[in-house]
Amino acid sequence: MCCSRGHLSCKECIFENILAQKKETQRQQRQQERRRALVAEEMRQREAAVRQAEIERFERSQTSVVDLTVGDAALGTAETKVIDGK
């Protein structure tokens, strides 16, 4: 390695280079941790959406709305009842 001053091995330049590499490695590690956190959050959101969809599908399958007409057809009175599948 040759420094800008023309020295083949300058301690100061070597230490600066090592320090720069260390800082770059730390920056890359922080960036990777942020990416991991984003991916983990996206996975939690997807799982929550799937869970919510399953709950809604279950609720729809367990609850049915049936129109039952009760009353006098001649009088034009009708009543709607809701049956929840229990």
Side-chain angles (χ1 to χ4, degrees):
M1 178 163 101
C2 184
C3 73
S4 61
R5 292 180 233 151
H7 299 119
L8 289 178
S9 60
C10 173
K11 274 188 175 182
E12 183 180 346
C13 294
I14 292 171
F15 289 135
E16 285 177 9
N17 186 308
I18 291 171
L19 182 60
Q21 288 178 12
K22 183 177 178 181
K23 286 181 180 181
E24 178 63 18
T25 302
Q26 289 173 344
R27 184 191 68 78
Q28 289 175 350
Q29 286 176 342
R30 285 190 307 268
Q31 186 178 22
Q32 186 176 19
E33 286 299 318
R34 283 192 297 266
R35 275 193 228 125
R36 283 184 186 154
L38 286 173
V39 168
E41 180 61 28
E42 288 174 0
M43 289 294 290
R44 279 192 292 272
Q45 289 176 354
R46 283 189 210 133
E47 289 172 359
V50 168
R51 208 172 317 125
Q52 184 64 31
E54 288 176 3
I55 290 170
E56 290 172 1
R57 189 171 39 251
F58 174 78
E59 288 176 347
R60 279 194 306 268
S61 71
Q62 295 299 312
T63 304
S64 63
V65 178
V66 178
D67 289 335
L68 297 177
T69 309
V70 179
D72 189 0
L75 296 175
T77 61
E79 181 180 318
T80 302
K81 292 185 179 180
V82 177
I83 300 173
D84 68 314
K86 291 183 181 178

